[in-house]
Amino acid sequence: MALDFVEHLRIETARLGNVLRAADPAAPVPTCPEWSADDLLWHMCGGVFYFWEAIVRNRVTDDTGAEEVDARTPERPADHSGLMDLYERAREALIASLEQVGDDEPIWTWSSDHTGGFIKRRMAQEALIHRVDAEATVAELSPVDAALATDGILEGLQYFWGGTPSWATWTPDGPIGRLHTTDTGARWSFRLGWVAGTSPGGTRYEHEPALELVDSGEPSFTVSAPAADLDLWLWNRPAGTEPAVEGSAADFERLKEVIGSGV
């Protein structure tokens, strides 16, 4: 059964807002060391909700339109109360706009998938990870939906650690690994390697560790855990249990280089 990403977004952002409303605005976010609780709040409402709501509402389809939206980001409110007010208004607007867009409707995204469905999925996954950040700030972690976490692992493999952009070159020079969710039964195989190229913004990548999904080949190592724990581990967030690793320890270390420190 397909996931209702907008409903997951509604649930995760409600929890995130409730946690940060009661938190000390200056409390450090342990999973995002440079941020305070209010910095996390501003990232969500100013950097995520506002931007994507405007992209969807205006049916932006090109880079120029996206840059214009980004240039119109509102001023950061001066205090916690103002941030919470903006958070709630921006959250409600994003959910309303996403409810009105079709999954296959063409809309600009930074990925190779330029559809409304990609944005719904991305917003639900973004909200999940940052809800965990908010809860880590107050040491009150709550459960993660296993189906949403399973999809989050796949999304990461497709678009963050994998999925070579059009401006880069992929070089598969490493072993095959496998991820396995012990509760939902999902399995993904991938080959390790690296990418090189210059992004549209002018950033040069010389030998960036990366991976690509594959559908054949024998893995040299397997990483297994319940879906929630595996998703959070991949994003360098606090997981209930560390994943179990079978096979080559050296090849597993290469995977850790790819996933880095998350976002």
Side-chain angles (χ1 to χ4, degrees):
M1 184 174 65
L3 290 173
D4 185 340
F5 289 118
V6 177
E7 182 60 20
H8 278 293
L9 173 64
R10 190 190 315 274
I11 293 168
E12 297 294 341
T13 52
R15 171 62 178 162
L16 192 159
N18 288 337
V19 170
L20 292 184
R21 182 177 291 105
D24 175 357
V29 181
T31 47
C32 303
E34 297 182 357
W35 287 356
S36 68
D38 266 8
D39 291 335
L40 174 57
L41 195 57
W42 170 240
H43 169 73
M44 293 305 294
C45 60
V48 178
F49 296 167
Y50 171 83
F51 178 81
W52 287 108
E53 191 280 327
I55 292 290
V56 172
R57 173 169 42 84
N58 294 299
R59 299 301 193 269
V60 172
T61 58
D62 57 29
D63 290 344
T64 299
E67 291 168 0
E68 290 173 353
V69 168
D70 192 44
R72 295 196 298 269
T73 300
E75 293 279 335
R76 175 171 172 164
D79 57 21
H80 180 71
S81 176
L83 274 170
M84 283 306 315
D85 180 65
L86 179 59
Y87 178 90
E88 293 298 344
R89 287 188 285 110
R91 169 183 178 267
E92 291 174 4
L94 174 62
I95 291 171
S97 288
L98 288 175
E99 289 176 331
Q100 299 301 315
V101 69
D103 288 352
D104 296 326
E105 197 165 342
I107 298 183
W108 177 92
T109 77
W110 48 260
S111 80
S112 59
D113 182 346
H114 305 291
T115 65
F118 174 88
I119 299 174
K120 293 177 184 179
R121 182 191 197 190
R122 178 83 292 273
M123 291 300 93
Q125 297 298 346
E126 178 94 359
L128 167 61
I129 293 300
H130 287 311
R131 182 264 287 179
V132 172
D133 290 333
E135 292 180 332
T137 302
V138 298
E140 294 179 3
L141 297 178
S142 59
V144 170
D145 181 88
L148 184 62
T150 301
D151 178 78
I153 297 166
L154 177 58
E155 188 211 29
L157 294 171
Q158 290 174 316
Y159 297 109
F160 287 90
W161 312 298
T164 305
S166 60
W167 46 264
T169 300
W170 160 249
T171 301
D173 70 344
I176 292 175
R178 178 172 292 160
L179 298 180
H180 170 219
T181 60
T182 56
D183 52 348
T184 62
R187 289 178 171 82
W188 304 274
S189 294
F190 53 87
R191 182 175 293 280
L192 296 170
W194 51 275
V195 296
T198 302
S199 73
T203 302
R204 177 66 187 173
Y205 297 91
E206 295 290 350
H207 200 284
E208 190 74 13
L211 58 79
E212 288 292 323
L213 288 166
V214 296
D215 54 14
S216 63
E218 190 65 25
S220 68
F221 68 100
T222 299
V223 184
S224 303
D229 291 339
L230 188 56
D231 190 29
L232 295 177
W233 175 81
L234 286 164
W235 287 110
N236 197 36
R237 265 58 179 193
T241 58
E242 286 292 308
V245 181
E246 297 180 359
S248 171
D251 292 347
F252 173 62
E253 288 300 316
R254 285 198 58 173
L255 171 63
K256 291 168 67 176
E257 291 178 8
V258 171
I259 64 175
S261 59
V263 295

